[in-house]
Amino acid sequence: MYKILCTTLAIIALSATLPLTAPAQTPSSSDAGAIAKQLQRYELTLNAADIDGIMELYAENAVFMPQHSLPVVGRDAVRSAYRHVFDTIKLNIRFEIDEVRPLSSDWAFARTRSTGTVKVLASDQAPIPEANQELFVLHREDDGQWRFVRYIFSTTNPPTQR
Amino acid sequence: MYKILCTTLAIIALSATLPLTAPAQTPSSSDAGAIAKQLQRYELTLNAADIDGIMELYAENAVFMPQHSLPVVGRDAVRSAYRHVFDTIKLNIRFEIDEVRPLSSDWAFARTRSTGTVKVLASDQAPIPEANQELFVLHREDDGQWRFVRYIFSTTNPPTQR
């Protein structure tokens, strides 16, 4: 993607509204709230570099799809990926939940945007602004908790250069 | 993200396997095949810069989440976004389907990776290699067709610079 393209896409995105009228199937009325709480926990645990807390939010057989990486498949690999993240950077970000959509009694998706800063631990450089969009697919597991089955993010900032 | 971080994430990702054992709920056995066909149509229509063909693959109230853009919400905005893409670049990419997961009779997700080239139309520059990962949430609409409700992609290449 290129700057001119991205700028126009951003304008298109900003000018759009959100007419989400398609009905969910058979979700409980409390599911959206329970999922929102999990997303809030993700924000807290990311900012705290709390790997165990983060892994409590991931389902069995999860796939984490961070930008600039091939998909990270399975809980062990996901844990290793976060460990390396927290060995390298310190995050200070806030999530805004754009939507939580229960699809059935056990499946849902959620869409968020996050903004804040990232600090490279091995550098004296000041924290750098970050802005991303995220899509989560969630499953309610046997213990009744909603957890991330698939999670992908990408930056919403324009590219620095090609 | 940073190059050292991304390289390690890529290694973690490559070394992982894909133990997808969680059962789907009540999908038809033909759903995965029908969804795979829609993904193949997306590859064809993207490479052909066929906006009408692409829009046949998007559901009502769709959200397109391209990297370097805020979310593009609603069919009109999605159409405008693709028009601008095809006014700017020519794609030549192939999708590899990593998984198609029907979640119920009417909902599913799919995960893909794509590789190929992008050519800037207003430039004499040679086509540039591209590599992305994609996550689609699909809904079966009233006419029986599976269509994209949410679609996000991000590059799997390391960053060029920060």
Side-chain angles (χ1 to χ4, degrees), chain A residues 51 54-55 58-66 70-83 148-151, chain B residues 9 11-21 99 101 111:
Chain A
I51 296 176
I54 287 172
M55 292 311 299
Y58 270 94
E60 289 301 314
N61 303 320
V63 180
F64 172 34
M65 304 167 73
L70 285 167
V72 179
V73 180
R75 289 182 62 85
D76 289 347
V78 171
R79 179 181 286 274
S80 296
Y82 279 101
R83 186 175 299 125
F148 309 160
V149 172
R150 302 289 177 272
Y151 163 42
Chain B
L9 285 175
I11 292 167
I12 291 166
L14 277 169
S15 66
T17 56
L18 186 63
L20 292 169
T21 55
E99 57 174 335
R101 287 283 296 274
R111 188 166 61 84

Side-chain angles (χ1 to χ4, degrees), chain A residues 1-2 4-10 12-25 61 63-74 76-78 80-82 84-85 88-89 98-99 101 103-109 111-113 118-120 125 128-130 133-137 139 149-162, chain B residues 1-2 4-10 12-25 61 63-74 76-78 80-82 84-85 88-89 98-99 101 103-109 111-113 118-120 125 128-130 133-137 139 149-162:
Chain A
M1 292 286 171
Y2 302 87
I4 186 170
L5 169 62
C6 298
T7 303
T8 303
L9 286 175
I12 292 165
L14 277 169
S15 66
T17 56
L18 187 63
L20 292 169
T21 55
Q25 285 183 306
N61 303 320
V63 180
F64 172 34
M65 304 167 73
Q67 183 174 301
H68 297 304
S69 162
L70 285 167
V72 179
V73 180
D76 289 347
V78 171
S80 296
Y82 279 101
H84 188 71
V85 168
T88 310
I89 58 174
D98 283 340
E99 56 175 334
R101 288 281 297 273
L103 306 176
S104 69
S105 58
D106 293 325
W107 289 97
F109 71 79
R111 187 165 62 82
T112 60
R113 282 168 295 136
V118 55
K119 170 81 176 78
V120 180
Q125 193 179 21
I128 300 160
E130 282 277 323
Q133 58 193 335
E134 299 86 16
L135 184 63
F136 300 80
V137 176
H139 183 236
V149 172
R150 302 289 177 272
Y151 163 42
I152 180 171
F153 71 85
S154 67
T155 181
T156 56
N157 284 334
T160 49
Q161 83 162 40
R162 173 116 211 157
Chain B
M1 293 286 169
Y2 302 87
I4 185 169
L5 170 62
C6 299
T7 304
T8 302
L9 285 175
I12 291 166
L14 277 169
S15 66
T17 56
L18 186 63
L20 292 169
T21 55
Q25 284 184 305
N61 303 321
V63 179
F64 172 35
M65 303 167 73
Q67 183 173 301
H68 298 304
S69 162
L70 286 167
V72 179
V73 180
D76 290 347
V78 172
S80 296
Y82 279 101
H84 187 71
V85 168
T88 310
I89 59 174
D98 283 340
E99 57 174 335
R101 287 283 296 274
L103 306 176
S104 69
S105 57
D106 293 325
W107 288 97
F109 71 79
R111 188 166 61 84
T112 59
R113 283 167 295 136
V118 55
K119 170 82 177 79
V120 180
Q125 194 179 20
I128 300 161
E130 282 277 322
Q133 58 193 335
E134 299 87 15
L135 185 63
F136 300 78
V137 176
H139 183 236
V149 172
R150 301 290 177 272
Y151 163 42
I152 180 171
F153 71 86
S154 68
T155 182
T156 56
N157 284 334
T160 49
Q161 81 161 44
R162 173 111 214 162

Side-chain angles (χ1 to χ4, degrees), chain B residues 16-82:
Chain B
T17 56
L18 186 63
L20 292 169
T21 55
Q25 284 184 305
T26 54
S28 150
S29 61
S30 63
D31 288 337
I35 290 166
K37 282 188 183 168
Q38 295 293 73
L39 298 172
Q40 290 156 1
R41 285 186 190 119
Y42 187 56
E43 175 187 295
L44 290 172
T45 51
L46 262 187
N47 287 331
D50 174 4
I51 296 176
D52 289 339
I54 287 172
M55 292 311 299
E56 284 176 23
L57 300 171
Y58 270 95
E60 288 302 313
N61 303 321
V63 179
F64 172 35
M65 303 167 73
Q67 183 173 301
H68 298 304
S69 162
L70 286 167
V72 179
V73 180
R75 289 182 63 85
D76 290 347
V78 172
R79 179 181 285 274
S80 296
Y82 279 101

